[in-house]
Amino acid sequence: MTLWVILVSFLIILSTGASIGVGLGLSSAIVLWAVQDMPLVVVVQRMFTSIDSFSFMAVPFFMLAGAFMSEGGVTRRIVDFSMALVGALAGGLALVVAVAGMFFAALSGSSAATTAAIGASMIDEMERRGYPRSFAAAVVASGGTVGIVIPPSITMVVYGSIANTSVAELFMAGFLPGIIMGVVMCLTSWVISKKNGYRGEGQFSVMRLLRTTKECFWALMMPVIILGGIYSGIFTATEAAAVAAVYGAFVGFFIYRELHLKDLWRTLLSAAYNTTMIMFVVGAANLFGWILTNAQVPHMLAQAFADLASSPLVFLMLVNVLLLFIGTLINASAAIVILTPILLPVALGLGIDPVFFGVLMVINLAIGCITPPVGLDLFVVSSIAGISIDKVTVKVLPYLVTLLISLVVFTWFPSIITCVPSMMK
């Protein structure tokens, strides 16, 4: 009874256009009140308890760091650096989007934030240079997927907190597959551009590359400081997020001098708004998952997966299919909160490394962000570009196919994900 009521009410609420957080929280409240006859104060208690964690303090700090760097002129410098690096190749601007997406992912930790930051500055520019607007939007949406794979990743922080797994190891494990995903998207853009005759932008110049590298140096140092500090044991992931926020403010105010006191309130408000959305979704998802757990749903699903999975590889392929579907419907952090307690015990029982499994879950959910019909990044970029989502979907399919091939490779060869943390031990 509980399972059917919560799922049906959740789908009905979503069909009204409500956000995923509202859908999770309200459907959970309906079950607690109408089916289980529990006081609604439990809703607030469970949501607060789920985010009352030292690890989750990293989320607002990473959001603040990304806001400072974005408002402080970092996005433009990253685009200029990427242009100097790959802009001369066929489809130069399309390649620039993928490269800039990788760099900005190392600053923002968010897929939607990466998509929005790059899209706001690149879609119009690509259209002016002769690229179809729908293609430009698809390139931006695809480039944003690495936002939750390349560290620091807010979704990995959420997984680490739920799974009681080292966030530092998750960050290390996400680095290589994130870079590979970015390179794969560059190759896809290059092939499409060669086929359609999209030319590069000028000639490659070593002097221009050196100049833009110098201008971008302070921005590029932020992920080095964050990851270097975590891997060397100088500070934890949460402390690294605080350091990143201070560093972002310092660079914006005193190095690039494009962040001013009059911008401070808007920047803080933007970071607070994004943090609140994530925390609300995580809290509501935890409440939703708690109700499912009490209804024995995780046990039933785990048993079903155990019966179907004759080997770890079969189990991982089944999980890939499930997560790709879930990733089109639910925010990545919410999906992690709901599904990790269900799937991780089965994975551990099959001898699967929890760090590898966590990164694989994140990669799946990242690809889900551009999987039709309701991938989050598709909606973000559709809004920025001012075009219908179906036009973006058609152009994003080649990128989706290549990312799915990459996912199969990561699943088949786990060492691609685990090699970096293994070397660091």
Side-chain angles (χ1 to χ4, degrees), residues 360-414:
L360 194 69
M361 287 185 72
V362 171
I363 293 171
N364 270 285
L365 295 169
I367 297 174
C369 289
I370 61 165
T371 303
V374 288
L376 174 63
D377 286 0
L378 296 180
F379 282 96
V380 172
V381 81
S382 175
S383 175
I384 294 172
I387 58 177
S388 63
I389 196 168
D390 57 303
K391 291 182 180 179
V392 181
T393 298
V394 171
K395 298 295 185 180
V396 89
L397 290 179
Y399 296 94
L400 182 59
V401 170
T402 54
L403 286 174
L404 289 174
I405 293 172
S406 301
L407 174 64
V408 172
V409 173
F410 296 147
T411 306
W412 202 278
F413 301 102

Side-chain angles (χ1 to χ4, degrees), residues 62 65-66 69 78 99-110 114 146-153 175 179 219-224 226-227 244:
F62 277 133
M69 298 295 269
I78 287 177
V99 174
M102 285 190 281
F103 282 112
F104 198 83
L107 304 179
S108 70
S110 165
T114 300
V146 297
I148 61 172
V149 180
I150 293 178
S153 163
F175 186 77
I179 297 298
L220 299 179
M221 282 302 294
M222 184 166 130
V224 174
I226 295 171
L227 302 180

Side-chain angles (χ1 to χ4, degrees), residues 262-296:
K262 63 183 178 63
D263 303 319
L264 185 59
W265 174 248
R266 186 181 73 253
T267 305
L268 292 174
L269 196 62
S270 172
Y273 175 74
N274 291 327
T275 299
T276 301
M277 286 197 302
I278 290 175
M279 290 299 198
F280 180 73
V281 168
V282 169
N286 186 278
L287 174 65
F288 191 89
W290 177 69
I291 292 173
L292 293 181
T293 300
N294 288 342
Q296 296 295 305

